[in-house]
């Protein structure tokens, strides 16, 4: 009995009145937020970075500070930042990892607490304004060394996460004053080095490309952005010289972006398509197309298109088997032992993949993400249509492709049964995509800005055809019919649309297109009978143009147009 009582005493629970024990790292955080922690422990900073970081607690403490407390412990925050940067040079990887995570918590916590503060105040709280340039120089040099060094891949991943955290702490990237130091201490070469190595690219390619796309957008119209300058002159030598470097498994920024854009389009054997919108990669694609003319050549590089269902199973190589930009596509195919020498083998390229992706994304613009993706797709297509080299490739009659665009199911048209798509120049696919968008988006929530961009793309392509006297064999009647139906829709919904949009801008663009066909059609329409078809369509639907003319003469319309123009000017 006594033995039983003794056991019960040993197993007795502790008193509930006792406070739960805190992690040592939490106690050390408390010291940072009260007084100089090195007074009681000279080895405080060495010990801190051996402790596992509690991100949530540290960020919460920073966000909970009031104005007086911020002033009181600012020196301690500065000291924490300084020792984090110093710890990045340590050989002990645990210290480096904990320092990177602590810096993430510092950047996020300080910005969340001081959303209304100026960038200079945030810099002063984080590192002290008088020492900010030195601290950020040390930080960027350490991150550059870690990204380019032989350290672990998880360490490089943390470095990129820290940089992404730093870049995205503000809603508007151009208001993030700390990025001035990232502009001065460029890590552009480190990002390219990551993208040039196959193993690093596989692990960190997405983060690296997104980081570069974000940095390029920092005050891009206000000052000289070094990342824009460097991206605009990249010739992607490791990619363009792929044959000589094949044994080294080298790639580059362009090949990375190519594979990422390609992976956004996913189809199964039953053609039930699912697509994941990814605005970050589309933004990177836009910057590459917009800033670097060399990337246009990557868009145009052909590679064999093998049917997944019928292709023999072959091991997937670690790097592309088709070099980008070294030899003509036909030679690439012949030099590749894994590809059958079939003259009927279809070829594809990044632009075709992008057009297919766009045709899916544009089907549903009611979802905000897809609306943004559709807008980015049209902006990218605008950049392509403005590039003379891209236009020459699009209209090259010797470069024909079969492009299976995806069409929205509609009640008034039957589903296409014949799957044999003709092989045509790529400009025909671009025009088909524009026609498809025009026909399928005349709805109550009218996407005005997308329609304006769509008509602008058509206009730019026709301007090129007129200038270079290029005649393509295209079913122009479908385009004319779509444009007339668009005018008919604008007239029928004039009252509801006028309260939200300036429909006259769009109507004027459409009328200008018809004027181009009438005035200059002899320079780019394929046959004289095309002119007959044009006049037939205009005469057949003359009531639409008559109504448009009457609408343009109405005094109420002039007053509304004047008010709309003045509102836009004032805003």
């Amino acid at each position: 009995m006594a033995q039983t009582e003794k056991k019960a005493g040993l197993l007795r629970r502790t008193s509930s009145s006792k406070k739960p024990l805190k992690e040592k790292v939490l106690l050390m955080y408390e010291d940072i937020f009260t007084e100089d922690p090195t007074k009681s422990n000279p080895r405080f900073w060495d010990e801190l970075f051996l402790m596992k970081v509690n991100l949530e607690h540290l960020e919460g403490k920073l966000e909970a500070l009031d104005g007086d407390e911020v002033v009181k412990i600012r020196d301690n925050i500065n000291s924490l930042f300084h020792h984090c940067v110093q710890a990045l040079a340590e050989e002990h990887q645990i210290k480096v990892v904990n320092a990177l995570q602590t810096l993430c918590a510092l950047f996020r916590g300080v910005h969340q607490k001081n959303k209304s503060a100026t960038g200079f105040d945030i810099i002063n709280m984080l590192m002290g304004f008088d020492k900010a340039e030195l601290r950020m120089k040390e930080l960027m040099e350490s991150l550059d060394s870690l990204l380019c060094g032989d350290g672990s891949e998880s360490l490089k991943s943390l470095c990129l996460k820290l940089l992404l955290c730093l870049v995205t702490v503000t809603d508007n990237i151009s208001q993030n004053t700390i990025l001035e130091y990232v502009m001065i201490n460029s890590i552009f070469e480190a990002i390219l080095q990551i993208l040039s190595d196959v193993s690093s690219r596989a692990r960190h390619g997405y983060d690296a490309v997104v980081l570069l796309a974000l940095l390029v957008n920092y005050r891009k119209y206000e000052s000289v952005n070094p990342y824009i300058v460097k991206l605009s002159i990249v010739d992607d030598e490791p990619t363009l010289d792929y044959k000589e470097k094949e044994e080294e498994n080298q790639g580059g920024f362009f090949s990375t972006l190519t594979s990422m854009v390609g992976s956004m389009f996913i189809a199964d054997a039953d053609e039930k398509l699912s697509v994941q919108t990814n605005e970050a990669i589309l933004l990177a694609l836009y910057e590459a197309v917009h800033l670097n003319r060399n990337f246009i050549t990557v868009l145009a590089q052909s590679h064999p298109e093998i049917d997944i269902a019928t292709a023999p199973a072959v091991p997937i190589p670690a790097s592309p088997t088709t070099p980008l930009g070294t030899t003509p596509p036909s030679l690439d195919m012949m030099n590749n032992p894994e590809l059958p020498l079939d003259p009927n083998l279809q070829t594809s390229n990044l632009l075709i993949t992008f057009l297919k992706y766009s045709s899916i994304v544009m089907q549903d613009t009611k979802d905000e993400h897809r609306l943004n993706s559709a807008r980015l797709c049209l902006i990218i297509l605008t950049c392509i249509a403005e590039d003379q080299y891209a236009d020459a490739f699009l209209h090259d009659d010797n470069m024909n492709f079969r492009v299976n665009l995806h069409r929205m199911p509609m009640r008034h048209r039957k589903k296409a049964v014949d799957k044999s798509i003709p092989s045509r120049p790529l400009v025909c696919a671009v025009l088909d995509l524009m026609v498809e968008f025009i026909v399928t988006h005349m709805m109550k929530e009218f996407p005005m800005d997308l329609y304006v961009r769509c008509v602008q793309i058509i206009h730019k392509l026709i301007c090129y055809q007129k200038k270079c006297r290029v005649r393509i064999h295209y079913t122009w009647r479908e385009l004319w019919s779509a444009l007339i139906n668009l005018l008919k829709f604008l007239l029928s919904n004039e009252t509801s649309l006028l309260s939200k949009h300036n429909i006259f801008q769009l109507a004027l663009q459409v009328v200008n297109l018809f004027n181009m066909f009438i005035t200059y059609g002899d320079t780019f329409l394929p046959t004289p009978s095309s002119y007959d078809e044009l006049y037939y369509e205009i005469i057949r639907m003359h009531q639409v143009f008559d109504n448009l003319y009457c609408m343009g003469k109405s005094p109420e319309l002039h007053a509304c147009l004047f008010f709309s123009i003045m509102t836009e000017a004032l805003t």
Side-chain angles (χ1 to χ4, degrees):
M1 184 72 178
Q3 189 173 0
T4 304
E5 289 179 358
K6 186 176 180 181
K7 285 183 178 180
L10 289 172
L11 297 174
R12 190 184 305 153
R13 293 181 180 180
T14 57
S15 174
S16 59
S17 63
K18 289 186 178 180
K19 293 181 180 180
L21 294 174
K22 280 189 175 182
E23 297 177 52
K24 185 177 180 180
V25 71
L26 300 187
L27 296 173
M28 297 183 84
Y29 290 158
E30 296 292 341
D31 292 340
I32 294 173
F33 286 91
T34 53
E35 57 183 12
D36 183 0
T38 58
K39 287 182 179 178
S40 57
N41 182 3
R43 292 183 51 81
F44 177 86
W45 298 113
D46 289 331
E47 293 177 7
L48 176 66
F49 295 111
L50 290 172
M51 303 287 126
K52 185 178 179 180
V53 179
N54 190 318
L55 289 170
E56 185 178 353
H57 183 82
L58 182 54
E59 286 182 40
K61 290 289 290 182
L62 288 165
E63 291 177 32
L65 294 173
D66 60 30
D68 294 334
E69 288 175 324
V70 168
V71 176
K72 183 179 177 182
I73 67 160
R74 191 186 67 196
D75 290 341
N76 288 5
I77 301 288
N78 293 169
S79 186
L80 175 59
F81 188 93
H82 173 50
H83 285 92
C84 283
V85 174
Q86 283 188 324
L88 296 181
E90 293 275 356
E91 293 184 3
H92 205 307
Q93 283 209 357
I94 290 179
K95 286 188 175 183
V96 179
V97 169
N98 289 330
L100 289 168
Q101 292 181 333
T102 304
L103 283 168
C104 280
L106 275 174
F107 284 127
R108 280 201 297 255
V110 170
H111 276 87
Q112 286 298 317
K113 172 62 186 174
N114 301 276
K115 285 186 176 180
S116 59
T118 65
F120 299 107
D121 291 335
I122 289 174
I123 291 171
N124 198 34
M125 183 179 176
L126 271 173
M127 59 196 94
F129 197 73
D130 55 334
K131 297 179 181 177
E133 189 172 343
L134 175 62
R135 295 286 180 264
M136 286 302 297
K137 183 175 184 293
E138 293 171 344
L139 172 61
M140 298 307 295
E141 286 177 350
S142 296
L143 292 175
D144 186 85
S145 298
L146 291 169
L147 289 171
C148 297
D150 298 327
S152 67
E153 298 299 330
S154 59
L155 205 58
K156 292 181 180 181
S157 178
L158 267 178
C159 290
L160 290 170
K161 296 294 183 190
L162 170 61
L163 287 165
L164 284 170
C165 171
L166 171 59
V167 170
T168 57
V169 285
T170 57
D171 293 334
N172 184 342
I173 191 172
S174 294
Q175 294 175 354
N176 190 348
T177 312
I178 297 179
L179 292 186
E180 287 293 337
Y181 301 107
V182 182
M183 298 294 115
I184 297 170
N185 305 284
S186 174
I187 53 165
F188 183 85
E189 288 73 18
I191 296 174
L192 279 196
Q193 181 171 323
I194 288 174
L195 297 176
S196 297
D197 180 77
V198 171
S199 59
S200 292
R201 187 168 70 237
R203 293 182 176 92
H204 316 300
Y206 179 84
D207 285 344
V209 167
V210 172
L211 174 62
L212 186 55
L214 290 170
L215 289 172
V216 161
N217 279 276
Y218 176 72
R219 296 184 179 175
K220 62 189 299 184
Y221 302 117
E222 302 168 26
S223 59
V224 177
N225 183 323
Y227 291 87
I228 291 179
V229 176
K230 293 181 179 181
L231 180 59
S232 66
I233 59 176
V234 168
D235 58 1
D236 206 37
E237 187 173 346
T239 298
L240 299 178
D241 294 341
Y242 188 89
K243 273 294 184 187
E244 286 74 24
K245 303 201 174 199
E246 195 168 5
E247 297 77 15
E248 300 174 17
N249 290 327
Q250 297 295 309
F253 172 68
F254 291 162
S255 57
T256 302
L257 194 53
T258 300
S259 62
M260 286 182 178
V261 175
S263 68
M264 290 195 300
F265 178 80
I266 305 168
D268 59 20
D270 297 327
E271 295 185 359
K272 293 178 182 177
L273 297 161
S274 63
V275 66
Q276 182 178 6
T277 60
N278 196 323
E279 289 92 343
I281 294 301
L282 283 176
L283 177 62
L285 177 61
Y286 161 71
E287 296 298 351
V289 171
H290 175 60
L291 296 174
N292 194 308
R293 192 165 182 267
N294 294 325
F295 191 70
I296 297 293
T297 63
V298 180
L299 283 174
Q301 289 303 319
S302 300
H303 60 79
E305 185 176 60
I306 301 176
D307 187 357
I308 298 175
T310 59
V314 293
I316 299 176
S319 58
T321 54
T322 305
L324 298 175
T326 52
T327 56
S330 57
L331 292 178
D332 290 347
M333 292 168 59
M334 293 176 65
N335 290 335
N336 190 344
E338 296 181 358
L339 299 175
L341 296 178
D342 183 357
N344 297 319
L345 185 66
Q346 295 304 310
T347 57
S348 184
N349 54 42
L350 178 58
L351 184 54
I352 292 175
T353 303
F354 174 68
L355 291 174
K356 290 179 180 179
Y357 172 81
S358 301
S359 70
I360 300 173
V361 169
M362 290 179 185
Q363 287 185 7
D364 179 18
T365 56
K366 293 179 182 178
D367 176 76
E368 184 180 359
H369 290 291
R370 292 206 171 203
L371 177 64
N372 291 331
S373 292
R375 184 177 292 112
L376 273 171
C377 288
L378 287 172
I379 292 172
I380 292 167
L381 283 171
T382 302
C383 292
I384 293 171
E386 289 174 344
D387 186 90
Q388 190 170 356
Y389 176 84
D391 282 331
F393 171 74
L394 289 174
H395 292 83
D396 190 347
D397 201 34
N398 297 315
M399 299 289 288
N400 295 329
F401 300 90
R402 291 189 175 96
V403 184
N404 185 16
L405 298 177
H406 300 275
R407 300 174 52 144
M408 183 185 295
M410 299 181 74
R411 292 179 181 177
H412 66 273
R413 67 181 182 190
K414 295 180 180 179
K415 187 177 179 180
V417 179
D418 185 14
K419 294 187 177 181
S420 60
I421 302 167
S423 186
R424 304 175 296 172
L426 275 180
V427 67
C428 297
V430 178
L431 290 171
D432 282 347
L433 182 61
M434 298 301 101
V435 169
E436 178 67 13
F437 180 84
I438 291 172
V439 169
T440 56
H441 289 78
M442 300 178 202
M443 52 192 179
K444 186 177 180 181
E445 294 298 324
F446 189 68
M448 180 69 177
D449 63 325
L450 301 190
Y451 266 95
V452 170
R453 293 190 183 280
C454 182
V455 176
Q456 284 175 344
I457 290 168
I458 297 171
H459 183 260
K460 292 178 189 300
L461 293 174
I462 293 176
C463 284
Y464 175 83
Q465 294 170 19
K466 168 190 167 292
K467 177 183 176 182
C468 300
R469 295 182 174 269
V470 177
R471 301 180 190 274
I472 59 169
H473 293 279
Y474 182 70
T475 313
W476 290 107
R477 181 183 291 178
E478 293 182 2
L479 173 61
W480 300 330
S481 177
L483 292 173
I484 292 172
N485 285 331
L486 174 57
L487 290 177
K488 190 175 180 181
F489 175 82
L490 295 177
L491 290 166
S492 302
N493 298 273
E494 171 193 343
T495 306
S496 59
L497 290 175
L498 270 177
S499 60
K500 300 177 183 177
H501 310 291
N502 179 7
I503 62 173
F504 311 106
Q505 176 192 6
L506 181 58
L508 180 60
Q509 287 181 326
V510 173
V511 170
N512 285 340
L513 278 179
F514 278 105
N515 284 336
M516 284 196 68
F517 278 106
I518 294 169
T519 310
Y520 302 107
D522 60 318
T523 62
F524 60 86
L525 288 176
T527 60
S529 62
S530 301
Y531 247 130
D532 298 336
E533 292 178 0
L534 170 63
Y535 285 116
Y536 175 78
E537 284 297 317
I538 293 174
I539 294 170
R540 186 175 69 90
M541 302 298 290
H542 71 91
Q543 193 65 48
V544 175
F545 295 98
D546 292 342
N547 292 342
L548 184 64
Y549 176 71
C550 293
M551 184 182 75
K553 290 202 306 180
S554 65
E556 297 86 357
L557 195 60
H558 289 167
C560 186
L561 178 59
F562 176 76
F563 178 77
S564 175
I565 293 172
M566 290 303 295
T567 304
E568 289 183 7
L570 291 172
T571 54

